[in-house]
Amino acid sequence: MSVPDTPKVRVGMVLFPALTALDLVGPYEVLSRLPGAEVVLVADSRLPVRGEGGLTLSPDVSLEEAGTLDVLFVPGGRGVSDAMQDERLMDFLQLQGEGAAWVTSACTGSLVLGAAGLLRGYRATTHWLSVDLLEPLGAIPVRGERVVVDRNRITAGGVTAGIDFALVLAAKLRGEAVAREIQLTLEYDPAPPFDAGSPRTADPALVHQITVTRAGIQADRRSLVERLATERKLRGPS
């Protein structure tokens, strides 16, 4: 894949303990194939970071070494609750968010962006179980869309939507033809064996079961979001 006179673009993908690997690896696979792109994994230090499922990732740079990023990306996962309380990470996101051309996330990574004050007044989405947590963080929640673009913010819904987000971003950075070429190269042609990938299509009993199973986790996360929203004065537009 060759694009003449392609300007360089530096993509920083944030790592934190207990992230959901596919939130990050799906977009990484797309963006690493983008002409002229340098994709770097950024973490608190250069020590390996273990995801929630056990996959261990090796950061390229620490927060201090990241330099200027054109694209800032945050994944989601069980570790977002700790990430939202990590003041060093919050400072990093706020600083990078001021200068990045694109501020992006997959799944509950949008809650981390929101906790850093980067979604105030922006339409945004996240995993269906957590959409209601965006409003306290100053965002305008959007339900039922896999990818939401509002000015230079791009947020994706549940885990697999990260691939869709990356293709949307690829088209904005390099044009639709390049994005289509990447999609075909990856043979990204979803055909799930079950019609259970969304609360809109899944059996209501299954939706209820998962909601009940996750109720404690979601309640704790809501309490955290409400506290951070108050302490950081995140409610309402910026």
Side-chain angles (χ1 to χ4, degrees):
M1 188 185 309
S2 176
V3 178
D5 302 320
T6 302
K8 299 297 182 183
V9 60
R10 198 155 186 269
V11 181
M13 308 186 84
V14 173
L15 306 182
F16 52 81
L19 63 86
T20 296
L22 187 55
D23 282 0
L24 182 128
V25 175
Y28 186 99
E29 196 63 45
V30 173
L31 298 175
S32 65
R33 297 169 184 264
L34 200 63
E38 177 193 7
V39 183
V40 293
L41 301 182
V42 186
D44 184 66
S45 73
R46 291 201 185 196
L47 294 175
V49 176
R50 186 178 176 86
E52 65 179 4
L55 182 66
T56 298
L57 300 163
S58 297
D60 298 305
V61 296
S62 68
L63 299 178
E64 291 79 11
E65 298 168 331
T68 301
L69 302 175
D70 302 299
V71 177
L72 176 64
F73 171 81
V74 182
R78 181 169 49 83
V80 301
S81 294
D82 287 337
M84 287 190 286
Q85 301 175 81
D86 184 336
E87 294 302 331
R88 288 185 67 245
L89 178 58
M90 293 294 101
D91 289 344
F92 171 81
L93 295 178
Q94 290 164 5
L95 178 63
Q96 292 289 347
E98 291 176 0
W102 295 97
V103 176
T104 68
S105 66
C107 201
T108 50
S110 58
L111 300 183
V112 182
L113 291 180
L118 295 177
L119 292 181
R120 293 180 64 191
Y122 288 88
R123 297 172 68 250
T125 193
T126 190
H127 190 280
W128 64 273
L129 281 168
S130 294
V131 173
D132 289 343
L133 301 183
L134 287 168
E135 186 276 331
L137 300 174
I140 303 167
V142 177
R143 295 169 177 80
E145 294 185 26
R146 283 180 69 79
V147 179
V148 173
V149 182
D150 188 346
R151 290 158 283 175
N152 74 331
R153 267 50 169 179
I154 308 180
T155 53
V159 178
T160 59
I163 299 174
D164 301 63
F165 139 73
L167 289 168
V168 169
L169 179 61
K172 290 184 176 296
L173 290 172
R174 296 293 185 256
E176 187 174 310
V178 170
R180 286 177 177 273
E181 185 175 344
I182 294 173
Q183 180 177 355
L184 181 56
T185 301
L186 296 176
E187 199 173 352
Y188 178 54
D189 185 26
F194 310 110
D195 193 13
S198 163
R200 300 188 306 278
T201 58
D203 186 324
L206 179 58
V207 176
H208 176 71
Q209 174 190 323
I210 292 175
T211 302
V212 170
T213 300
R214 293 272 307 191
I217 296 172
Q218 293 302 119
D220 289 344
R221 187 165 289 171
R222 173 170 289 281
S223 295
L224 171 62
V225 164
E226 293 285 353
R227 176 172 65 78
L228 294 177
T230 298
E231 291 176 355
R232 299 174 184 173
K233 299 180 173 60
L234 296 171
R235 295 180 187 275
S238 57

